[in-house]
Amino acid sequence: MQHVAGALAPPVQPYDADVVILAVDRVEETEQAIASALAQRAVGRHLFVVDQGSTPENLARLAACVAGRDDATLVRLDRNYGVAGGRNRGSALGHGRVIVAIDNDAEFADTQTLARAVAAMDEAPDVGALGFSIVVFADGRDDLSSWGYPSSLLPRAGENFDSVTFVGAGHAIRRAAWDAAGGYDAALFFNWEEYDFSLRAIEQGWRIRYRGDLVVRHKVSPEQRFAWSKTRWYYFVRNRLYIARKSGDGWLALAPRMAGYLVKGVRNGVVLQTLRAIPAAARMARAAPRAPLSPRARAYLAQNDIAHRGSPLTRIRREVLALLPGHA
C-alpha cells in the first residue's frame, strides 16, 4: 500500500467517521465523489480514497483533490483487491467509530448526510449497519439497479425498516460491529459481500437497518454496471452459494436455488456463467470454515427478509423469471 497524497494518517484524537471511496479510473466521477465527501459538515470525519489501479494520469488528478489536506488520504494498492478487499484495507486505515462508504460514481445528497448517518447510529446502539437510499443522480428516482431488498418493500424506499443486508453504493457500518464480525470476506472480490458481512453481524446480535432518509445520488452507468454477459452473473451465483454453504446450508437444501439460477441464466443468456459458478462455489466452500447460523439469526432472516418475498410462486415470478437489470 503506497501513500500518494493528503495526510499520512487520520487524527490521533477520536473522530466520528471514516469515509472510504474506492477508485479505478472513472476519474471525473471519482473527483466529484471526493468533493461530495469533503463537503460534509457538522461531523468529524476523515476521507480515505483507495486506488486499485488507475492510470498514472488519473491517479495524479485524484492526488490533486486531496493534496495538502489533513482530512483526506489517497493510497494506492499494488493491485485490484475487489470491493471487499479494497474496503477492508481502506477501513483499516482509520479509527472513526463509524465507517461510511459510497461508490466512486455516487455523491451524498447534501452536506449533512454523513452527520445524520452518524447520529442515526448513535440513536440505535444495537444497529450494526445502515443502508442508505440510493437514487438516480439525474432525476432522484429510486435506483432500481441498487435495490438490494425484497421487491415488495420498494414502495417503502423513503421509510426506515430492519433488513438483512445493505447496499454498498451508500452505507454506514459501526466500527464495533465491523471489528467483531471481521470485516468483509475478501474471497468474495465483489457481489454479496455486504450480505455476508450482515449475516455475521446478525449472528452476533446486531440489527441491520435501512434508512430511506439518508440519501446517496448514484450516476448509474449501464455499460459499467451491467456486464452480466462477462463475469458479473458468475460472481453473483458463485458468491451467493458460497455464503450459503459457509452459513450451514446443505447442497440438497440449495438445490432449488441452483435450479432457479440455471433457469434465470438460460432466460438471460448467461447459463454458461451459472455452470461455471456452481462448482467454483463448491471449491471455495471447501476452503472456508463453516459457521452455521443460530436459530435466533435464522428467525431474524425469516422476519426481515423471507416474510417480504411472498409465496414460492411469487418468488419464481419476481426473482427467477425476471430479467436481469439492464436487459430489455
Side-chain angles (χ1 to χ4, degrees):
M1 184 182 295
Q2 173 194 6
H3 173 260
V4 178
L8 283 170
V12 174
Q13 66 271 23
Y15 58 96
D16 298 316
D18 293 299
V19 181
V20 177
I21 298 176
L22 302 183
V24 183
D25 292 318
R26 301 195 69 179
V27 66
E28 290 185 6
E29 292 95 333
T30 308
E31 288 172 328
Q32 292 158 5
I34 291 171
S36 172
L38 294 177
Q40 295 301 296
R41 299 290 179 258
V43 63
R45 49 112 180 104
H46 194 92
L47 169 65
F48 291 100
V49 183
V50 181
D51 188 86
Q52 302 200 97
S54 296
T55 66
E57 296 81 5
N58 288 340
L59 186 66
R61 288 179 60 175
L62 299 181
C65 294
V66 303
R69 300 192 67 109
D70 61 4
D71 60 350
T73 302
L74 170 63
V75 296
R76 187 175 203 183
L77 304 184
D78 59 332
R79 60 184 173 87
N80 189 342
Y81 289 87
V83 174
R87 286 191 181 141
N88 281 349
R89 285 161 175 79
S91 300
L93 294 172
H95 58 89
R97 69 179 187 277
V98 178
I99 304 166
V100 173
I102 61 171
D103 280 357
N104 69 332
D105 58 354
E107 298 180 24
F108 293 105
D110 58 52
T111 62
Q112 303 293 315
T113 305
L114 182 60
R116 291 199 301 273
V118 171
M121 282 290 195
D122 291 342
E123 293 165 3
D126 63 336
V127 169
L130 295 173
F132 298 171
S133 169
I134 314 299
V135 303
V136 177
F137 186 89
D139 56 23
R141 293 180 301 166
D142 294 319
D143 177 6
L144 299 183
S145 70
S146 297
W147 183 253
Y149 313 95
S151 58
S152 65
L153 291 175
L154 188 56
R156 298 180 58 190
E159 303 175 17
N160 307 331
F161 52 80
D162 282 353
S163 177
V164 304
T165 190
F166 53 92
V167 173
H171 65 272
I173 300 174
R174 190 183 305 275
R175 187 172 289 276
W178 174 265
D179 291 341
Y184 291 126
D185 182 344
L188 294 169
F189 195 75
F190 91 106
N191 232 319
W192 293 107
E193 63 275 359
E194 298 91 359
Y195 177 67
D196 178 72
F197 169 84
S198 296
L199 290 184
R200 285 179 279 121
I202 290 165
E203 179 63 34
Q204 295 185 7
W206 298 99
R207 280 195 301 146
I208 311 299
R209 189 89 172 142
Y210 171 83
R211 290 288 298 242
D213 57 335
L214 301 173
V215 180
V216 162
R217 302 180 70 87
H218 189 208
K219 298 163 189 175
V220 180
S221 176
E223 69 276 9
Q224 292 286 340
R225 291 182 54 79
F226 299 130
W228 299 106
S229 61
K230 296 179 181 179
T231 58
R232 189 176 182 87
W233 179 246
Y234 165 82
Y235 283 114
F236 184 97
V237 173
R238 186 199 71 169
N239 291 358
R240 183 63 181 85
L241 294 176
Y242 163 68
I243 292 167
R245 287 289 292 160
K246 283 201 308 175
S247 301
D249 291 348
W251 287 115
L252 183 61
L254 287 173
R257 180 177 293 276
M258 289 188 288
Y261 286 153
L262 286 166
V263 171
K264 197 174 186 75
V266 170
R267 179 157 168 73
N268 288 274
V270 289
V271 68
L272 292 180
Q273 290 188 54
T274 315
L275 294 173
R276 289 194 301 113
I278 293 173
R283 290 192 296 271
M284 287 177 65
R286 284 197 294 270
R290 297 189 73 186
L293 293 175
S294 64
R296 182 200 56 78
R298 290 191 179 275
Y300 179 99
L301 267 62
Q303 177 181 354
N304 295 298
D305 185 74
I306 297 171
H308 298 296
R309 295 190 179 273
S311 68
L313 288 177
T314 298
R315 296 193 66 175
I316 290 172
R317 185 179 74 253
R318 290 178 176 173
E319 301 175 20
V320 176
L321 300 180
L323 291 174
L324 292 169
H327 277 62

